[in-house]
Amino acid sequence: MKAIRRFSVRPVLPETLRALHELAFNLRWSWHPETRELLRSVDPAGWQAAREDPVRLLGTVDADRLAELATDRGFLRRLGLAAGDLSDYLTEPRWYQAAEARSGGELPRSIAYFSPEFGITAALPQYSGGLGILAGDHLKAASDLGAPLIGVGLLYRHGYFRQSLSPDGWQQEHYPVIDPHELPLT
């Protein structure tokens, strides 16, 4: 039977942990080891169960664990550093801004990058292989350089299929249903 309506439950994070939401919804965590490690430390078993997807992880963390983290000085210190680092990353000038200053002219404010798929992280399953991985790497590099590259693609409701082998050795396809409300997207 098909569901009439689906609900996405998002926990209300304690005030001291609000930065976790910002870290989870900025895909930089997917190529920034320190942020990934911080997110994993919220609940290591939950991180694995959520297939290293911080949005899914935050939706499943026990309230007692969140209360514990909200008073853990070591965790809060690491969270503050990660949030500050992300803030610097988003606001400090990088290579592109320095190139604009050196050129004396005005460089483009935004550059559209069209691709049918972007392989940024498995938590955002919008790729099937090489083209998507390459396009995702372009976005990551442009982000690190401060280049105003905007990825324009398609958000597939069912994504690409995952394959496995049956006990008899036959390929089996699994088409995951993708709920945009459960993805690290805004």
Side-chain angles (χ1 to χ4, degrees):
M1 179 187 327
K2 187 175 180 177
I4 297 173
R5 183 170 283 138
R6 288 179 52 144
F7 293 96
S8 296
V9 178
R10 298 198 195 240
V12 176
L13 295 171
E15 187 62 38
T16 57
L17 300 179
R18 292 281 161 91
L20 281 173
H21 183 270
E22 184 179 352
L23 292 172
F25 275 87
N26 188 302
L27 291 174
R28 178 181 178 234
W29 62 261
S30 69
W31 71 91
H32 192 254
E34 293 85 0
T35 304
R36 253 194 337 273
E37 178 53 33
L38 175 76
L39 291 165
R40 187 195 69 73
S41 72
V42 168
D43 179 3
W47 180 251
Q48 291 303 316
R51 291 181 298 226
E52 300 184 5
D53 177 347
V55 173
R56 185 173 287 158
L57 169 73
L58 292 179
T60 61
V61 176
D62 187 70
D64 292 336
R65 175 64 177 155
L66 291 175
E68 177 186 331
L69 289 172
T71 59
D72 181 332
R73 291 178 52 206
F75 181 81
L76 293 175
R77 187 172 27 258
R78 290 174 46 220
L79 178 58
L81 288 171
D85 187 54
L86 178 61
S87 177
D88 291 347
Y89 181 83
L90 295 173
T91 59
E92 301 266 325
R94 289 191 300 284
W95 174 85
Y96 190 80
Q97 291 73 29
E100 183 174 50
R102 282 192 309 270
S103 72
E106 194 170 304
L107 296 177
R109 293 278 164 233
S110 59
I111 303 161
Y113 181 23
F114 293 89
S115 179
E117 53 189 64
F118 292 97
I120 298 170
T121 174
L124 188 59
Q126 294 297 306
Y127 62 96
S128 65
L131 173 65
I133 299 301
L134 179 64
D137 287 347
H138 286 159
L139 291 181
K140 293 172 190 178
S143 179
D144 286 345
L145 293 170
L149 195 64
I150 299 170
V152 180
L154 303 171
L155 180 61
Y156 299 104
R157 203 56 155 162
H158 291 280
Y160 293 97
F161 70 84
R162 294 190 180 138
Q163 58 188 346
S164 61
L165 294 177
S166 72
D168 300 332
W170 290 95
Q171 175 182 308
Q172 295 178 317
E173 298 86 20
H174 309 280
Y175 292 87
V177 175
I178 297 174
D179 182 353
H181 301 291
E182 294 176 354
L183 296 174
L185 300 172
T186 53

